[in-house]
Amino acid sequence: MTDLNQLERDLLTQVEAAGDEAALETVRVSALGKKGSVSELLKTLGAMTPEERKERGPLINGLRDKVQGAIAARKETLGEAALEARLSAERIDVTLPVPEAPESRGRIHPISQVIEELTAIFADMGFSVAEGPDIETDYLNFTALNFPEGHPAREMHDTFFLAPDEKGERKVLRTHTSPVQIRTMTSKAPPIRVIIPGRTYRHDSDQTHTPMFHQVEGLVIDKQANIAHLKWILEEFCKAFFEVEQVKMRFRPSFFPFTEPSAEVDIQCSRKGGEIRFGEGTDWLEILGCGMVHPNVLRNCGLDPDEYQGFAWGMGIDRIAMLKYGMPDLRPFFEADVRWLNHYGFRPLDIPSLVSGLTS
């Protein structure tokens, strides 16, 4: 009896001293395992006389039950302590913002976004997109567009010229996307409805000008195309792009070698509080140039100006992006500053749509 009491105290002390589930399992095996101290006692019951078994059986079985109960209780205590420690170590601050998924961390550059917006708007009007090379011939960049010899745009201070080739011809970095108009008219029969977004190059560098910038031009050639169609297209574009219900536009006479008549277009705006808002106010802001395609340009493209006529317009993509999204300086557009891009950029899956809204 004394031995059983001492064994019980020893085993219960070991159970209580177990610091983790691994140590508790060691105690269990040493007591209740196949060769454990309590298991060995249970094996002796078969060799006892009925009187001894009647006396010692309940004591040994009781010892086993106490040890099993103590182990179970200790295991539960250790499990709760481990869970509490894990919760403390892995606690989540639910007040923090949810981190962005890897596929949404990048940003679309505002220029790329605005080109997508332009494409969505004009595609809805039946326009396709035309493209051409950045390096052009003097003929396509100037002569075919009715630029006379000696025009200032042909000078070194305004245009980037490349070294003369073996024929003595100097190619240029295109000063506008208008050469693609020539390429389109000489390769495609009317009716023509295209927009031409792309990079252009000029000798300019300040807060609102850079040596490389982006331009989009539109061209319509048909037998019935007229300036009323041009005004409607530009008005619908401005309403869709600036996302306003109504705009007023002002056409001022101007001069471009490749259009006749030509006009500069101003859009109604408000400048109150240093913020530009379109579709309201009494101020005006110039946004683009346009006009009817010059008969000489049509002739240079093999089209009869007595049969076909058309209109064209052009605007700076960088400029309208600055106006729409409130960017004060053009130069950061091309500085590859990730902080600037994170601020002004767009999420990869924010695809412009006239149905859901260009900037929804």
Side-chain angles (χ1 to χ4, degrees):
M1 184 68 177
T2 302
D3 292 341
L4 288 177
N5 290 337
Q6 183 62 43
L7 180 59
E8 178 182 329
R9 287 193 294 272
D10 292 343
L11 291 176
L12 294 181
T13 299
Q14 293 176 33
V15 169
E16 191 63 29
D20 53 40
E21 293 191 12
L24 184 63
E25 177 64 12
T26 300
V27 175
R28 187 196 69 78
V29 171
S30 67
L32 303 176
K34 187 176 293 187
K35 295 184 179 181
S37 54
V38 177
S39 299
E40 291 296 332
L41 288 174
L42 289 171
K43 293 176 183 179
T44 63
L45 292 176
M48 293 181 183
T49 63
E51 291 76 11
E52 290 175 332
R53 192 180 304 114
K54 185 177 180 180
E55 177 185 356
R56 295 183 61 81
L59 297 176
I60 296 174
N61 286 322
L63 172 61
R64 180 194 60 192
D65 293 342
K66 287 181 182 179
V67 173
Q68 286 180 336
I71 290 174
R74 184 58 179 168
K75 185 174 183 178
E76 183 178 355
T77 300
L78 291 173
E80 291 176 354
L83 178 61
E84 185 64 29
R86 182 178 176 184
L87 290 175
S88 298
E90 300 178 1
R91 181 175 289 119
I92 299 174
D93 187 349
V94 296
T95 65
L96 292 174
V98 178
E100 289 186 287
E103 64 272 14
S104 65
R105 289 177 188 167
R107 288 294 179 267
I108 301 297
H109 196 283
I111 295 299
S112 299
Q113 180 76 9
V114 169
I115 290 176
E116 291 295 323
E117 294 178 18
L118 294 169
T119 302
I121 294 170
F122 285 110
D124 190 61
M125 299 183 192
F127 285 76
S128 58
V129 176
E131 296 179 325
D134 290 9
I135 299 175
E136 279 290 6
T137 64
D138 179 270
Y139 176 79
L140 290 175
N141 196 78
F142 295 121
T143 306
L145 289 162
N146 204 38
F147 281 83
E149 292 293 336
H151 190 281
R154 293 177 178 266
E155 300 298 328
M156 293 286 291
H157 61 76
D158 194 64
T159 301
F160 292 102
F161 285 91
L162 278 65
D165 58 17
E166 62 278 1
K167 297 179 181 179
E169 180 183 3
R170 293 189 307 170
K171 291 189 176 181
V172 302
L173 296 180
R174 64 183 182 186
T175 58
H176 42 194
T177 55
S178 301
V180 185
Q181 293 189 35
I182 304 300
R183 291 176 176 272
T184 302
M185 285 188 281
T186 54
S187 63
K188 182 178 179 181
I192 295 172
R193 293 179 181 84
V194 296
I195 61 167
I196 309 159
R199 292 180 296 269
T200 52
Y201 308 85
R202 297 180 191 174
H203 274 295
D204 282 319
S205 184
D206 57 40
Q207 186 175 352
T208 57
H209 299 84
T210 55
M212 187 277 290
F213 59 101
H214 296 81
Q215 191 179 63
V216 61
E217 295 185 8
L219 173 69
V220 173
I221 301 293
D222 208 337
K223 293 182 178 181
Q224 303 296 327
N226 59 64
I227 203 164
H229 298 147
L230 168 64
K231 295 178 71 174
W232 179 85
I233 287 174
L234 295 180
E235 183 176 332
E236 291 301 306
F237 161 74
C238 288
K239 288 193 294 185
F241 181 74
F242 293 111
E243 300 182 75
V244 294
E245 295 183 358
Q246 193 63 43
V247 294
K248 292 182 180 179
M249 305 185 75
R250 183 173 68 181
F251 287 70
R252 292 179 289 105
S254 186
F255 170 77
F256 302 111
F258 34 81
T259 53
E260 181 61 38
S262 304
E264 301 279 3
V265 180
D266 303 331
I267 185 173
Q268 171 199 18
C269 68
S270 169
R271 288 189 172 92
K272 290 183 179 179
E275 182 179 3
I276 296 178
R277 291 183 176 273
F278 295 102
E280 59 184 72
T282 58
D283 293 323
W284 297 93
L285 183 68
E286 179 187 326
I287 61 167
L288 59 90
C290 63
M292 300 298 293
V293 178
H294 199 289
N296 289 344
V297 175
L298 293 174
R299 292 190 187 95
N300 291 336
C301 296
L303 298 175
D304 184 355
D306 293 328
E307 182 180 3
Y308 292 104
Q309 59 189 26
F311 52 83
W313 69 90
M315 68 188 86
I317 295 176
D318 316 306
R319 175 171 170 75
I320 62 175
M322 293 172 68
L323 292 174
K324 182 173 182 178
Y325 295 111
M327 304 167 189
D329 196 319
L330 181 62
R331 289 166 292 192
F333 275 65
F334 312 109
E335 291 177 352
D337 189 330
V338 175
R339 297 167 301 177
W340 183 90
L341 187 57
N342 284 336
H343 181 74
Y344 286 110
F346 294 81
R347 296 178 182 276
L349 299 180
D350 288 347
I351 301 173
S353 166
L354 293 179
V355 176
S356 60
L358 295 178
T359 55
S360 62

